[in-house]
Amino acid sequence: MADPRFFSRSGPFDLATVLERTGAKAPEGADTGRKFVDVAPLEAAKSDEIGFLDNKKYIGAFENSGAGACFVTGKLAERAPSGMIALITGQPYLAFARAARLYYPPSPPEPGVASGALIDETATVGEGSRIDPGAIVGAGVEVGARCHVSSGAVLCDRVKIGDDCHVGPGATLMCCLLGDRVWIDAGARIGTQGFGFAIGPTGAVRIPHTGRVVIGSDVEIGANSTVDRGTTGDTEIGDGAMIDNQVQVAHNAKVGRGVVLAGQVGLAGSARVGDFAMIGGKSGVSNHVKVGTGAKIGALSGVASDVEADGTYLGQPAVAIGDFWRQQAVIRRLAKRSKGE
Amino acid sequence: MADPRFFSRSGPFDLATVLERTGAKAPEGADTGRKFVDVAPLEAAKSDEIGFLDNKKYIGAFENSGAGACFVTGKLAERAPSGMIALITGQPYLAFARAARLYYPPSPPEPGVASGALIDETATVGEGSRIDPGAIVGAGVEVGARCHVSSGAVLCDRVKIGDDCHVGPGATLMCCLLGDRVWIDAGARIGTQGFGFAIGPTGAVRIPHTGRVVIGSDVEIGANSTVDRGTTGDTEIGDGAMIDNQVQVAHNAKVGRGVVLAGQVGLAGSARVGDFAMIGGKSGVSNHVKVGTGAKIGALSGVASDVEADGTYLGQPAVAIGDFWRQQAVIRRLAKRSKGE
Amino acid sequence: MADPRFFSRSGPFDLATVLERTGAKAPEGADTGRKFVDVAPLEAAKSDEIGFLDNKKYIGAFENSGAGACFVTGKLAERAPSGMIALITGQPYLAFARAARLYYPPSPPEPGVASGALIDETATVGEGSRIDPGAIVGAGVEVGARCHVSSGAVLCDRVKIGDDCHVGPGATLMCCLLGDRVWIDAGARIGTQGFGFAIGPTGAVRIPHTGRVVIGSDVEIGANSTVDRGTTGDTEIGDGAMIDNQVQVAHNAKVGRGVVLAGQVGLAGSARVGDFAMIGGKSGVSNHVKVGTGAKIGALSGVASDVEADGTYLGQPAVAIGDFWRQQAVIRRLAKRSKGE
């Protein structure tokens, strides 16, 4: 269970509540009044806790789990050990997420402005918002309702953020507009000037970057990530985009709706990532290159030219995943042969 | 145009002023009294705005642009649409940069020390400098004239920075000396201890890092980048070096004058990058390895041994760019053949 | 020598003291009363300074060094120039580290709570600890003895840190427990929520991350690195682990004792790195993948499946290092041949 030092848990909840909240189905005759106190991983779950099985690879843990109930597909449900109620759903991980949110519901911050917060008198802070000690809110800033601005966060002049936003400790916002329910994690830098200059006879001539960063709603940006503002025009992050830690989004990049960028990804200037595309950890996309809608890019890849919608790509430079593995197979075969020589 | 919420624009300026400032030439008979209000990208520019064409790839946008004037080379000038004045120059992007600085001139900060800044009484702050709320300036720190130290920035004891420097929000400086006109962006860490230890019988023995970081003038260091101080001796960043976001410069590295390091580059300990060399995004240079003067390293490359001046290198490990593409061609051909088998 | 602006030096010390502290042996008849004032690199060392030779590659610098003494293996000692005392040891770099700590001993911070530190009244701060101006210490936080919490650092509610810890400027700690003698460098983010969500019909459903980060003793975490807390269960960093700058450790990763992670490494969720393994700069380890005890991973590698204890691996995807170089040789040979065609 979660350490009560840091987290408080709701519940217990009876099975009927869990089923209603998650959309899963229990087998006929299951005791829907049975109480469950928490969600837990299969290896650790006890008889009053709920696990999930989302990957056949973990079927062993499932068969040996002490969990009292488990989200699982209909196909695998029959392999549940005795004592475990199989909670049948087409998407066990989604059901687990919903159950976890039942036990650990996101809660609005305790409203108030801490002493030790530095708020410019021309800033406006919406109802129910909390500003922590040591947070800094500049002139003309607009903070929506029920926002949480953490200690050490800096909202520079005239930044505007919607309702129910979270700005983590030490994060910085400038020249940007945020939608609702945006989570900016600790140390993220939004709206900094991009990397733009021309080379003149006596060195680099800095180009003023007078664009903005415009972020939709339901977006997450991870710890120590950076999103530069546009040169002219905007850097854009679409609704529902999920961005991990230490990701770099350069000036004028366009990140579509529901895009997933894993840790340490880098998008160069004016890169475009289509809606619902997913990019694996540490991969990069070059200047002006377009990743098609729904495309998947494996980890540690370099996308140096446009890739098509819905394809899967891997490698440096990235190629269609089948080609990547064929290349690997050829290289390995030749190397093996050379070893034999 | 730039959002007036965040940026204020100068002008309008007549064509004569634009020409004088940028060094471009208008065709004979052009109306040099014509007023222009802004710079803009070709696709968005209107008849009172100025664009640029720097890459033949965008000739279509040029021919269809509504821009009233456009920086362009003499060779392509004849393809300007009617209504557009071709502003002829050998370096259109440089001219554009200069024009952009005319409309959006860098301005010194509004002088003053905000209430809520924490400044040690033994620190000195030069004339015309601005210290924002929540900035922290330690004992014996010396800040030059017309500097801007942003909210949440920390200047540790005895750090010295020159004139006209900018320290972004949440950035940290320690054990370092900066020249003039240095821009340290949000969250950058300058002068932290390097990664140095010896392995003893009971674990790592930390080596005290008692060097400094010495940064020249006209340097930019991007958001959340890190520059460690030397073990003994200094980590050095030469005049005019441009360093993007999330770059790591390890202890005792030497970065030459006018070097360009793109986003997420990493230089290992004692790496040396010669004057005017350029390193593409996400590339790494190994310990004690030297990149020659003016060399160009492509993105996502690994420089594991010295590379020569003025060469262009790519790959992991990095090889001469011609060799890289030959290797790629061979692998692709073999993989294709294996597919056909 | 170290710039006295930033560092104060102890000593001078006589040779007997240096020998005693480092375990090195001087040749018979050496003057153990001779005074030495500092350690220095071979190229810069003077007659009252001590260098080290740890790599045959630098034998030239050794033979030409002006150092009055030098740590060196018995095998190479005879090549010492006249005037240099060879200090014989099996581990010259370790001896150097110990000598450097003699001249630049780590010292506990000057105790006290600065005015301008914001400390919740329910927090406890151990004897001899120092809290700098602008540091923020939340409710229920427990800080051990002789700790140093720097300016702009944020210790979120109920975080607990042991004795003799250092939290660098602008670093953030939440949902974590630290052992003793832990060094968290500037801008590091410990305990942020992991990258975890399920995709539902209307977009990502965030999974509450209710685990912790548990860090052992004698651990270093570099500037702007990030360590996410567990989903359920903990992200763990073992005793003596050394983690460089800009490293990403995702939720539920397990980093063993004495592990070394170089700059910009990324560990994906639930990755496991065995005790004393070493991972080179910019490398990544995939989700749930295990790096065996004592394994060595070269720089810029991608570990996509489990690798065995004590092996050395390189490449993307990482393979045994011998195989990597064989692959490279084959590719180069074929490319050369194609060039000749």
Side-chain angles (χ1 to χ4, degrees):
Chain A
M1 62 165 290
D3 186 342
R5 182 177 185 107
F6 297 117
F7 302 96
S8 64
R9 194 172 60 183
S10 296
F13 298 101
D14 59 24
L15 184 56
T17 303
V18 172
L19 294 173
E20 191 217 0
R21 184 63 76 93
T22 62
K25 306 281 173 211
E28 228 172 296
D31 173 9
T32 57
R34 184 164 160 187
K35 298 283 190 200
F36 288 90
V37 302
D38 207 344
V39 290
L42 283 173
E43 309 76 33
K46 304 202 187 76
S47 65
D48 55 358
E49 295 177 328
I50 309 171
F52 75 100
L53 175 67
D54 200 36
N55 187 330
K56 236 183 150 165
K57 196 170 140 187
Y58 301 112
I59 187 83
F62 177 70
E63 292 177 333
N64 293 301
S65 176
C70 183
F71 299 109
V72 60
T73 57
K75 213 170 157 179
L76 296 172
E78 61 180 27
R79 296 177 65 172
S82 70
M84 178 198 284
I85 306 175
L87 308 179
I88 296 170
T89 166
Q91 294 174 277
Y93 193 53
L94 177 60
F96 179 79
R98 288 169 171 161
R101 292 172 71 88
L102 178 65
Y103 288 100
Y104 300 97
S107 56
E110 198 182 326
V113 171
S115 84
L118 299 168
I119 304 186
D120 190 274
E121 58 185 10
T122 63
T124 60
V125 176
E127 209 174 337
S129 284
R130 170 168 191 80
I131 315 292
D132 278 339
I136 294 147
V137 179
V141 167
E142 299 175 54
V143 173
R146 296 172 306 279
C147 289
H148 184 184
V149 179
S150 306
S151 292
V154 179
L155 274 55
C156 295
D157 293 356
R158 290 176 297 284
V159 156
K160 184 176 180 181
I161 69 177
D163 297 334
D164 302 291
C165 289
H166 174 93
V167 182
T172 297
L173 275 61
M174 62 179 79
C175 306
C176 63
L177 309 175
L178 274 61
D180 301 323
R181 296 172 304 280
V182 175
W183 180 283
I184 305 293
D185 219 320
R189 312 293 163 191
I190 313 296
T192 37
Q193 74 178 5
F195 198 54
F197 48 88
I199 302 296
T202 61
V205 177
R206 160 50 66 184
I207 292 172
H209 278 212
T210 58
R212 309 170 300 182
V213 174
V214 178
I215 297 179
S217 292
D218 301 296
V219 168
E220 285 190 21
I221 296 180
N224 283 353
S225 287
T226 51
V227 183
D228 284 342
R229 65 180 183 264
T231 309
T232 59
D234 297 325
T235 302
E236 296 172 11
I237 311 282
D239 291 342
M242 305 296 281
I243 299 179
D244 199 355
N245 293 351
Q246 296 189 39
V247 169
Q248 150 74 349
V249 177
H251 59 89
N252 298 97
K254 309 290 180 193
V255 174
R257 286 176 303 131
V259 162
V260 176
L261 304 180
Q264 298 177 317
V265 157
L267 306 183
S270 300
R272 287 167 293 161
V273 181
D275 294 348
F276 305 107
M278 304 177 71
I279 303 186
K282 288 182 163 294
S283 291
V285 180
S286 297
N287 281 351
H288 291 278
V289 163
K290 186 178 176 183
V291 173
T293 301
K296 289 186 175 58
I297 310 296
L300 288 146
S301 298
V303 184
S305 54
D306 292 0
V307 296
E308 287 179 27
D310 299 318
T312 301
Y313 303 87
L314 187 57
Q316 295 182 22
V319 295
I321 192 166
D323 290 335
F324 177 83
W325 290 117
R326 257 185 296 277
Q327 292 177 9
Q328 287 292 313
V330 163
I331 296 168
R332 286 177 187 214
R333 197 163 57 232
L334 292 172
K336 212 170 183 177
R337 206 179 291 168
S338 81
K339 194 179 175 179
E341 277 169 10
Chain B
M1 61 166 291
D3 186 342
R5 182 178 185 108
F6 298 117
F7 302 95
S8 64
R9 193 172 59 183
S10 296
F13 298 101
D14 59 25
L15 184 57
T17 304
V18 172
L19 294 173
E20 192 219 0
R21 183 64 74 93
T22 62
K25 306 280 175 212
E28 228 172 295
D31 173 8
T32 57
R34 185 164 161 187
K35 298 282 190 200
F36 287 91
V37 302
D38 207 345
V39 292
L42 283 174
E43 308 76 33
K46 305 204 185 75
S47 65
D48 54 359
E49 294 177 329
I50 308 171
F52 75 100
L53 176 66
D54 200 37
N55 186 331
K56 237 183 148 168
K57 196 169 142 188
Y58 302 112
I59 187 83
F62 177 71
E63 292 178 332
N64 293 300
S65 176
C70 183
F71 298 109
V72 60
T73 57
K75 211 170 157 180
L76 295 172
E78 60 179 27
R79 295 176 66 173
S82 71
M84 178 197 283
I85 305 175
L87 309 178
I88 295 170
T89 167
Q91 294 174 278
Y93 193 52
L94 177 59
F96 179 78
R98 289 169 169 160
R101 293 171 71 88
L102 179 65
Y103 288 100
Y104 301 96
S107 55
E110 198 182 326
V113 171
S115 85
L118 299 168
I119 304 186
D120 190 275
E121 57 185 11
T122 62
T124 60
V125 176
E127 209 174 336
S129 283
R130 169 169 192 78
I131 314 291
D132 278 339
I136 294 148
V137 178
V141 167
E142 298 175 56
V143 173
R146 298 171 304 280
C147 289
H148 184 184
V149 179
S150 307
S151 293
V154 180
L155 274 55
C156 295
D157 294 357
R158 288 176 299 284
V159 157
K160 183 176 180 181
I161 70 179
D163 296 334
D164 301 293
C165 289
H166 174 93
V167 182
T172 297
L173 274 61
M174 62 179 79
C175 305
C176 62
L177 309 175
L178 275 59
D180 300 322
R181 298 172 303 281
V182 175
W183 180 283
I184 304 293
D185 220 320
R189 313 293 164 191
I190 313 297
T192 38
Q193 73 177 7
F195 197 55
F197 48 88
I199 302 296
T202 62
V205 176
R206 160 47 69 184
I207 292 173
H209 279 212
T210 58
R212 308 171 299 180
V213 174
V214 178
I215 297 179
S217 292
D218 302 297
V219 167
E220 286 190 19
I221 296 181
N224 283 353
S225 286
T226 51
V227 182
D228 284 341
R229 66 180 183 262
T231 309
T232 59
D234 297 326
T235 303
E236 296 172 12
I237 312 281
D239 291 342
M242 306 296 282
I243 298 179
D244 200 356
N245 294 350
Q246 296 189 36
V247 169
Q248 151 74 349
V249 177
H251 58 89
N252 297 96
K254 309 289 180 195
V255 174
R257 286 177 303 132
V259 162
V260 176
L261 304 179
Q264 298 178 318
V265 158
L267 306 183
S270 299
R272 287 168 293 161
V273 181
D275 294 349
F276 306 107
M278 304 177 71
I279 303 187
K282 288 182 162 292
S283 291
V285 180
S286 297
N287 281 351
H288 291 276
V289 164
K290 185 177 176 185
V291 173
T293 301
K296 289 186 175 58
I297 310 296
L300 288 147
S301 297
V303 184
S305 54
D306 292 2
V307 296
E308 287 177 28
D310 300 319
T312 302
Y313 303 88
L314 187 57
Q316 294 183 23
V319 294
I321 191 166
D323 291 335
F324 177 84
W325 289 116
R326 258 186 297 277
Q327 291 177 9
Q328 287 291 313
V330 163
I331 295 167
R332 286 179 188 214
R333 196 165 58 232
L334 290 172
K336 212 170 181 178
R337 204 180 293 166
S338 82
K339 194 179 175 180
E341 278 169 6
Chain C
M1 60 166 291
D3 186 343
R5 182 178 185 107
F6 299 117
F7 301 96
S8 62
R9 194 173 59 184
S10 296
F13 298 101
D14 58 25
L15 184 57
T17 304
V18 171
L19 294 172
E20 192 219 358
R21 184 64 75 92
T22 63
K25 307 278 175 215
E28 228 171 296
D31 173 8
T32 57
R34 184 164 160 190
K35 299 282 189 199
F36 288 90
V37 301
D38 207 346
V39 291
L42 282 173
E43 309 76 33
K46 305 202 185 75
S47 64
D48 55 358
E49 296 176 329
I50 309 171
F52 74 101
L53 175 66
D54 200 37
N55 187 330
K56 236 181 149 168
K57 196 170 142 188
Y58 301 112
I59 187 81
F62 177 69
E63 293 178 331
N64 293 300
S65 176
C70 182
F71 299 109
V72 60
T73 58
K75 211 169 158 181
L76 295 172
E78 60 179 28
R79 297 176 66 173
S82 71
M84 178 198 283
I85 307 175
L87 309 178
I88 296 171
T89 166
Q91 293 174 278
Y93 193 52
L94 177 59
F96 179 80
R98 288 169 172 162
R101 293 171 72 87
L102 179 65
Y103 288 100
Y104 302 97
S107 56
E110 197 182 327
V113 171
S115 85
L118 300 167
I119 304 186
D120 191 275
E121 58 186 10
T122 62
T124 60
V125 175
E127 210 174 336
S129 283
R130 169 167 191 80
I131 315 291
D132 277 340
I136 294 147
V137 178
V141 167
E142 298 175 56
V143 173
R146 297 171 305 280
C147 289
H148 184 184
V149 179
S150 306
S151 292
V154 179
L155 274 56
C156 296
D157 294 354
R158 287 177 300 283
V159 157
K160 183 176 181 180
I161 70 177
D163 296 336
D164 301 291
C165 290
H166 174 93
V167 182
T172 298
L173 275 62
M174 62 179 79
C175 305
C176 63
L177 309 175
L178 274 60
D180 300 324
R181 297 172 303 282
V182 175
W183 180 285
I184 304 292
D185 219 321
R189 313 294 163 188
I190 313 297
T192 37
Q193 72 177 8
F195 198 53
F197 48 87
I199 302 297
T202 62
V205 176
R206 158 50 69 184
I207 293 173
H209 279 214
T210 58
R212 307 171 300 182
V213 174
V214 178
I215 297 179
S217 292
D218 301 296
V219 167
E220 285 190 20
I221 296 182
N224 283 352
S225 286
T226 50
V227 183
D228 285 341
R229 65 180 184 262
T231 309
T232 60
D234 297 327
T235 303
E236 296 172 12
I237 312 282
D239 291 344
M242 304 296 282
I243 299 180
D244 199 356
N245 294 350
Q246 297 190 37
V247 170
Q248 150 75 349
V249 177
H251 57 88
N252 296 97
K254 309 289 181 195
V255 174
R257 285 177 303 130
V259 162
V260 176
L261 304 179
Q264 298 179 317
V265 157
L267 305 183
S270 299
R272 286 167 294 161
V273 181
D275 293 350
F276 305 106
M278 302 178 71
I279 303 188
K282 289 184 162 291
S283 291
V285 181
S286 296
N287 280 351
H288 291 277
V289 163
K290 186 177 176 184
V291 173
T293 301
K296 288 186 176 57
I297 310 295
L300 288 147
S301 297
V303 184
S305 53
D306 292 1
V307 296
E308 288 177 27
D310 299 317
T312 301
Y313 303 88
L314 188 58
Q316 296 183 20
V319 295
I321 191 166
D323 290 335
F324 177 83
W325 288 117
R326 258 186 296 279
Q327 292 177 10
Q328 288 291 313
V330 163
I331 295 169
R332 286 177 189 215
R333 196 164 58 233
L334 291 172
K336 212 167 182 181
R337 203 180 295 168
S338 81
K339 195 179 176 180
E341 277 169 8

